[in-house]
Amino acid sequence: QAQLVESGGGSVQAGASLKLSCATSGYNFNICRMGWWRKFPEKEREFVSQISTDDSTTYADSVKGRFTISRDVAQKVVYLQMNDLKTEDTAIYYCSATCIGVDSVRRRTWGQGTQVTVSS
């Protein structure tokens, strides 16, 4: 069964860095776009960043210039390097895989999330 397992979250002070990892199994990086999302309390999950099959990347304006997404195709791991963290980055971070199935339908699956807490 395909799985996404996040790690690397924690509690840090503003200005610090964290690197999140998403270990994947059962996903083909040649047909899946990998991403990171985050959820604040009592709000909808919001997009953070994604990396496509051609290694092109996209970022939310709120993290542009501070966060970097990358992937290791051989190890099937996706990373999110987060620098200059701010208190407003405090959220649960989720890894996602958006893949095209044999029926040509695009589907997104999620990991269980990892908590990032940034204090002032």
Side-chain angles (χ1 to χ4, degrees), residues 52-93:
S52 296
T53 55
D54 61 357
D55 280 325
S56 60
T57 57
T58 308
Y59 297 93
D61 287 343
S62 58
V63 306
K64 207 171 289 184
R66 299 188 298 123
F67 291 11
T68 303
I69 190 171
S70 62
R71 63 179 188 161
D72 184 326
V73 176
Q75 297 296 322
K76 296 198 171 183
V77 181
V78 184
Y79 301 101
L80 185 68
Q81 176 68 47
M82 306 186 295
N83 298 329
D84 189 24
L85 282 161
K86 305 178 186 301
T87 55
E88 53 263 41
D89 294 318
T90 295
I92 300 174
Y93 285 71

Side-chain angles (χ1 to χ4, degrees), residues 29-66:
F29 277 21
N30 292 320
I31 61 171
C32 296
R33 185 173 67 228
M34 306 303 295
W36 289 95
W37 296 65
R38 63 187 180 184
K39 189 178 185 307
F40 305 109
E42 299 179 4
K43 289 191 175 181
E44 295 291 317
R45 193 153 30 192
E46 71 171 31
F47 170 78
V48 175
S49 180
Q50 71 180 24
I51 184 164
S52 296
T53 55
D54 61 357
D55 280 325
S56 60
T57 57
T58 308
Y59 297 93
D61 287 343
S62 58
V63 306
K64 207 171 289 184
R66 299 188 298 123

